[in-house]
């Protein structure tokens, strides 16, 4: 019954010009948005506009990659899925760095290693940008702690391959059908809100020795990338979005693991600056899917604590 209702809603709404979800695909190395495109995505009664460069970056305020000062790599949290230029508030990145000259190379389901793959290619392609000052990596702890695992593969979470994206862009209803197939088969997508207690149980089962080992590999690769660059490297870490409606003892357990990871990042001395996002107040303000913090809701502070 739920699936039938979902089908009716989606097929009806797809008659409009906006997508129901962000269109994106993977090439086995990273996920990306549709290059050289402009599109909108429905969000409740609003539409969120996207302007994507030929290099897969989300351009804000019509900025140009080769003129921008900051390149950012990460997943959909750093992308800002509830924001566009028509908002009355600025994008979190503009708030942090006090500039509009930002290219956001981010897409859903881009884990740490996938973002790094895109960064390597992008920085080589755009190496002649004389304005580039900072390279920013984001780490969305609630998802990326799972994506660090060696067994984690894009193909298990992203239904579209890069070669299929142009057809989707020409006919948005096809993307709805892809999503519906994912819902019906239980793969790629769900119409249910996240089950935070279940996620915590999966979190507890993680092999944290493996997670730290994989984190160290990721940090070492970024360090090698930094050796060949004169730019400043920074990281923004986001808290787990799924920890706020479970018990205090469980929240403390998650926070303890998060703090240990932050210390590992700090002690590796890869980044010139480590920035931590924390909620401004409670209750938490999420996006419609309850899987992302709303833009403008987090405070960002430089890491000051000792490890």
């Amino acid at each position: 019954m739920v699936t039938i209702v979902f089908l009716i809603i989606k097929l009806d709404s797809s008659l409009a010009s906006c997508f129901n979800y962000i269109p994106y695909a993977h090439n086995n190395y990273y996920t990306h948005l549709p290059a050289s495109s402009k599109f909108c995505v429905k969000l409740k009664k609003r539409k969120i506009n996207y302007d994507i460069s030929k290099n897969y970056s989300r351009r804000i305020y019509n900025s140009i990659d080769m003129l921008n000062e900051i390149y950012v790599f990460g997943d959909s949290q750093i992308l800002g899925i509830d924001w566009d230029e028509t908002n009355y508030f600025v994008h979190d990145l503009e708030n942090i760095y006090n500039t509009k000259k930002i290219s956001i190379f981010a897409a859903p389901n881009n884990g740490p290693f996938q973002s790094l793959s895109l960064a390597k290619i992008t920085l080589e392609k755009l190496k002649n940008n004389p304005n580039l000052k900072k390279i920013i990596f984001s780490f969305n702890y609630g998802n990326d702690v799972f994506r660090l695992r060696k067994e984690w593969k894009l193909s298990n979470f992203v239904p579209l391959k890069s070669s299929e994206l142009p057809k989707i862009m020409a006919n948005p209803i096809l993307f709805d059908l892809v999503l519906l197939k994912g819902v019906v088969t239980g793969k790629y997508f769900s119409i249910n809100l996240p089950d935070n207690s279940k996620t915590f149980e999966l979190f507890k089962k993680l092999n944290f020795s493996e997670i730290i080992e994989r984190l160290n590999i990721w940090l070492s690769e970024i360090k090698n990338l930094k050796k060949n660059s004169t730019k400043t490297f920074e990281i923004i870490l986001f808290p787990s979005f799924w920890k706020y409606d479970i018990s205090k003892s469980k929240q403390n357990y998650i926070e303890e693991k998060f703090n240990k990871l932050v210390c590992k990042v700090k002690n590796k001395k890869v980044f010139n600056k480590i920035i931590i996002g924390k909620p401004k107040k409670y209750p938490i303000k999420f996006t419609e899917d309850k899987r992302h913090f709303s833009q403008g809701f987090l405070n960002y502070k430089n890491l000051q604590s000792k490890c």
Side-chain angles (χ1 to χ4, degrees):
M1 179 64 181
V2 173
T3 301
I4 293 174
V5 173
F6 184 76
L7 174 64
I8 293 172
I9 292 171
K10 288 300 174 183
L11 289 181
D12 177 65
S13 64
S14 65
L15 295 174
S17 58
C18 290
F19 285 89
N20 289 297
Y21 297 94
I22 300 170
Y24 69 107
H26 77 93
N27 57 12
N28 290 323
Y29 299 102
Y30 52 83
T31 65
H32 60 84
L33 303 179
S36 303
S37 67
K38 291 186 178 182
F39 58 89
C40 58
V41 177
K42 287 188 175 183
L43 189 67
K44 291 186 177 180
K45 296 181 180 180
R46 297 172 53 211
K47 67 176 183 179
I48 303 297
N49 296 292
Y50 288 79
D51 182 0
I52 312 303
S53 77
K54 64 180 181 180
N55 304 304
Y56 302 134
S57 74
R58 184 182 187 185
R59 306 190 308 153
I60 62 174
Y61 304 105
N62 297 312
S63 59
I64 298 172
D65 291 336
M66 281 299 290
L67 298 178
N68 281 345
E69 299 174 354
I70 299 174
Y71 290 171
V72 183
F73 300 91
D75 72 352
S76 49
Q77 177 61 56
I78 202 72
L79 188 64
I81 66 169
D82 59 342
W83 178 93
D84 68 12
E85 285 89 344
T86 64
N87 278 95
Y88 63 88
F89 54 87
V90 300
H91 193 285
D92 282 1
L93 288 167
E94 183 188 349
N95 186 40
I96 295 170
Y97 294 106
N98 195 32
T99 181
K100 293 180 173 66
K101 296 181 179 180
I102 303 171
S103 292
I104 310 173
F105 299 90
N109 280 310
N110 249 353
F113 286 99
Q114 290 72 39
S115 297
L116 179 56
S117 293
L118 179 55
K120 289 177 180 178
I121 293 170
T122 302
L123 294 178
E124 176 61 27
K125 185 191 299 185
L126 302 177
K127 62 183 178 182
N128 293 324
N129 178 1
N131 303 296
L132 184 60
K133 298 176 180 178
K134 293 184 177 183
I135 312 298
I136 314 299
F137 286 91
S138 73
F139 192 95
N140 184 8
Y141 188 74
N143 287 320
D144 284 338
V145 70
F146 294 100
R147 295 169 181 158
L148 276 174
R149 294 173 298 167
K150 192 172 184 179
E151 66 195 58
W152 194 87
K153 296 185 183 302
L154 280 175
S155 57
N156 291 332
F157 296 90
V158 185
L160 291 179
K161 295 181 180 179
S162 299
S163 59
E164 299 171 309
L165 201 49
K167 186 182 293 186
I168 294 296
M169 295 306 295
N171 194 352
I173 194 173
L174 294 179
F175 194 39
D176 283 339
L177 296 176
V178 170
L179 299 177
L180 283 169
K181 181 180 178 181
V183 170
V184 171
T185 61
K187 189 175 182 181
Y188 304 125
F189 299 98
S190 171
I191 59 173
N192 299 318
L193 296 177
D195 185 334
N196 294 343
S197 294
K198 184 177 179 181
T199 303
F200 175 76
E201 293 305 317
L202 294 173
F203 179 76
K204 276 182 64 177
K205 293 177 181 178
L206 287 174
N207 181 343
F208 285 97
S209 295
E210 179 203 1
I211 297 301
I212 295 303
E213 180 182 346
R214 295 281 291 166
L215 177 73
N216 287 335
I217 293 172
W218 181 65
L219 292 172
S220 294
E221 290 192 27
I222 295 177
K223 195 169 189 176
N224 288 334
L225 187 64
K226 186 181 179 184
K227 284 180 182 177
N228 300 317
S229 175
T230 59
K231 315 306 178 187
T232 298
F233 277 57
E234 299 182 6
I235 186 170
I236 301 172
L237 294 108
F238 294 93
S240 302
F241 66 88
W242 43 264
K243 78 173 189 177
Y244 293 99
D245 64 351
I246 55 179
S247 70
K248 189 65 177 178
S249 61
K250 291 178 179 178
Q251 290 187 36
N252 290 339
Y253 178 81
I254 297 165
E255 192 69 14
E256 177 189 345
K257 295 294 186 183
F258 176 72
N259 289 337
K260 286 183 178 179
L261 183 139
V262 170
C263 283
K264 290 290 183 182
V265 172
K266 180 180 179 180
N267 292 336
K268 279 291 184 178
K269 299 180 180 179
V270 174
F271 299 103
N272 301 90
K273 185 181 292 184
I274 298 172
I275 299 171
I276 308 291
K278 292 187 176 181
K280 292 179 179 178
K281 59 183 179 179
Y282 297 88
I284 306 298
K285 185 178 180 182
F286 293 110
T287 56
E288 186 178 354
D289 65 0
K290 304 300 182 184
R291 290 175 169 86
H292 302 80
F293 296 101
S294 292
Q295 288 288 297
F297 184 74
L298 296 180
N299 272 326
Y300 297 91
K301 301 290 184 182
N302 297 342
L303 179 66
Q304 303 289 350
S305 62
K306 296 180 180 179
C307 292

